[in-house]
Amino acid sequence: MKKTKIIIYTLVGGLLFYTINSIILNKSQASNQTENSEVISKQNNVNFELPNFENAAAKAIKSVVHIKSKFLQNSIYRYYDPFFGNRYFKQPKEEVASGSGVIISSDGYIITNKHVINKATEIEVVLNDKRTYNAKILGTDPNSDLALLKVEANNLDFLDFANSDNIKIGQWVLAVGNPFNLSSTVTAGIISAKSRKINILNDGGIEAFIQTDAAINAGNSGGALVNTDGQLIGINTAIQSNTGSFTGYGFAIPSNMAQKIVSDLKKYGEVKRAYIGIHISDINNDIKEYFSLNGLNGVLVSKVLSNSAAEKAGIKDLDVIIAINDITVNSVSELHEIIVQFSPGDEIKCKIKRGKKTIDLSFNLQE
């Protein structure tokens, strides 16, 4: 009898211990799961939080205009002459080209692409609020495909220039313009590359484009590429496509380059360009081996021009420029993008490699 009671008590005690232990364990697991869920939730909020484009878009569309350029183009007409048969004659016909522009001051200065207003006899600017103005051409620069216009107006919304030297690959951007006459269109994407050369300008043209996958199409030319703060980082200029429509590759002129050029056009009616006085080339494996260079970084000085700023500063043929004003240079287009921001007479710091030596030079640019 006593043995039976002992067995029963033992079984009951074990059952109670198992039940209490299970309850405590379940509570602990539930607590851990809650904590883990909170951590995952917090991580998800950080990793998947998207930028808000609303403020940038609202600001940009007020400052991007629709440009309509009227120009005359000869059209060929045919008529039948009873004595001589079919005859042809030319008759001027007014055509209208469409593009975009960016207001850069409250008193009506507008930047656009030169190709948007080519051969224009009259330029009409349409604001986002549908107000229209006739615009005057203050100057154009074929080497960068930029133009500066002016309308007689005050208290206009405008975009501030951002420092395009500070942009990063992968950074979110908005493209704003009037593709296919669809006014005030905003598209989003990222910066895909910097200092891109795509060979669309004539000899002497300066190409150091920002590449983006934000949709750009016909009519976007001259429009704005802005950051998420609504600041201007580029002027949309071109696309690369086999179809003539956007396929993921759009290109914009960096804001630092645009700001210098329009400043000159406003002040002088032309661009005052500064030069180092050298011929340069990109460095690849073939050039590295041929000239026995110590690496692939920088750009090669293939020739120093006589009596140039470079010659006076002591730069020599086969030197390698690796930095300008502490900004690393690894391609011809990167160097052009930096130098185009300066005026004749400005002083720059140039870091070069000559063999195994690194040399720092300071000198003034020439016109």
Side-chain angles (χ1 to χ4, degrees):
M1 185 69 178
K2 287 182 179 180
K3 287 184 179 180
T4 304
K5 287 182 179 180
I6 292 171
I7 293 171
I8 291 172
Y9 291 151
T10 302
L11 290 173
V12 171
L15 184 60
L16 286 172
F17 175 79
Y18 176 78
T19 302
I20 293 170
N21 190 54
S22 296
I23 292 171
I24 293 171
L25 183 61
N26 287 337
K27 284 184 177 180
S28 176
Q29 289 176 341
S31 176
N32 288 338
Q33 287 175 352
T34 301
E35 289 176 1
N36 290 336
S37 297
E38 289 176 357
V39 170
I40 292 170
S41 177
K42 288 178 181 177
Q43 289 176 342
N44 286 343
N45 286 338
V46 171
N47 293 336
F48 296 100
E49 184 178 356
L50 293 175
N52 188 327
F53 299 128
E54 294 177 10
N55 291 335
K59 184 177 180 181
I61 60 174
K62 293 178 183 177
S63 305
V64 174
V65 301
H66 192 177
I67 294 177
K68 298 178 181 179
S69 301
K70 299 177 183 179
F71 61 98
L72 293 178
Q73 182 168 293
N74 284 329
S75 295
I76 298 176
Y77 295 89
R78 184 183 69 176
Y79 70 97
Y80 180 77
D81 187 300
F83 297 102
F84 300 101
N86 288 330
R87 307 282 285 178
Y88 300 89
F89 69 97
K90 293 180 179 181
Q91 178 73 31
K93 181 182 179 183
E94 187 175 79
E95 302 282 353
V96 179
S98 178
S100 303
V102 183
I103 304 172
I104 56 172
S105 69
S106 63
D107 56 347
Y109 286 93
I110 297 171
I111 186 171
T112 187
N113 287 130
K114 180 182 180 296
H115 74 258
V116 171
I117 49 95
N118 266 348
K119 301 178 182 178
T121 57
E122 183 181 341
I123 300 172
E124 182 181 75
V125 170
V126 184
L127 273 57
N128 181 59
D129 61 10
K130 300 183 182 179
R131 283 182 291 168
T132 62
Y133 297 92
N134 288 327
K136 178 183 177 182
I137 301 174
L138 296 186
T140 62
D141 179 41
N143 287 333
S144 63
D145 191 25
L146 287 174
L148 182 63
L149 311 180
K150 179 71 167 68
V151 296
E152 294 304 319
N154 290 298
N155 301 318
L156 298 178
D157 291 297
F158 66 94
L159 291 182
D160 294 315
F161 285 96
N163 185 350
S164 56
D165 288 344
N166 294 334
I167 62 174
K168 306 293 183 184
I169 294 173
Q171 174 181 332
W172 284 101
V173 290
L174 299 178
V176 187
N178 304 280
F180 307 117
N181 285 314
L182 298 172
S183 299
S184 303
T185 296
V186 180
T187 57
I190 62 167
I191 293 174
S192 306
K194 301 193 299 181
S195 300
R196 187 70 84 190
K197 183 177 177 64
I198 57 175
N199 299 311
I200 62 168
L201 298 178
N202 297 327
D203 289 342
I206 299 171
E207 295 188 11
F209 292 111
I210 300 168
Q211 182 180 328
T212 180
D213 66 350
I216 296 174
N217 280 292
N220 271 112
S221 290
L225 189 71
V226 302
N227 59 24
T228 52
D229 293 323
Q231 297 171 317
L232 186 65
I233 62 171
I235 301 298
N236 300 323
T237 299
I239 61 173
Q240 194 155 34
S241 169
N242 294 325
T243 65
S245 295
F246 179 73
T247 54
Y249 310 99
F251 301 91
I253 297 168
S255 57
N256 284 10
M257 183 189 298
Q259 188 172 17
K260 162 62 168 62
I261 288 169
V262 297
S263 176
D264 281 1
L265 291 176
K266 182 178 178 181
K267 189 181 298 184
Y268 309 113
E270 62 179 0
V271 179
K272 303 284 188 181
R273 284 206 162 81
Y275 295 94
I276 298 176
I278 53 177
H279 292 166
I280 56 176
S281 63
D282 291 323
I283 299 174
N284 55 31
N285 276 319
D286 292 337
I287 289 177
K288 174 193 168 186
E289 292 176 6
Y290 185 83
F291 292 108
S292 301
L293 302 177
N294 291 322
L296 295 169
N297 295 331
V299 294
L300 179 69
V301 178
S302 55
K303 181 178 177 61
V304 177
L305 301 181
S306 177
N307 202 36
S308 65
E311 184 183 60
K312 294 173 183 176
I315 296 176
K316 298 181 179 180
D317 292 355
L318 302 187
D319 282 348
V320 175
I321 298 176
I322 57 176
I324 300 288
N325 282 6
D326 298 322
I327 301 173
T328 301
V329 173
N330 273 317
S331 69
V332 170
S333 58
E334 286 181 351
L335 188 142
H336 284 163
E337 182 180 356
I338 295 170
I339 297 301
V340 77
Q341 299 174 36
F342 293 98
S343 297
D346 287 348
E347 184 180 71
I348 64 167
K349 294 185 297 181
C350 184
K351 186 183 292 291
I352 64 172
K353 286 182 70 176
R354 183 177 298 159
K356 295 183 178 180
K357 294 191 299 182
T358 299
I359 302 171
D360 290 304
L361 300 170
S362 293
F363 55 92
N364 296 100
L365 297 169
Q366 67 184 57
E367 187 170 2

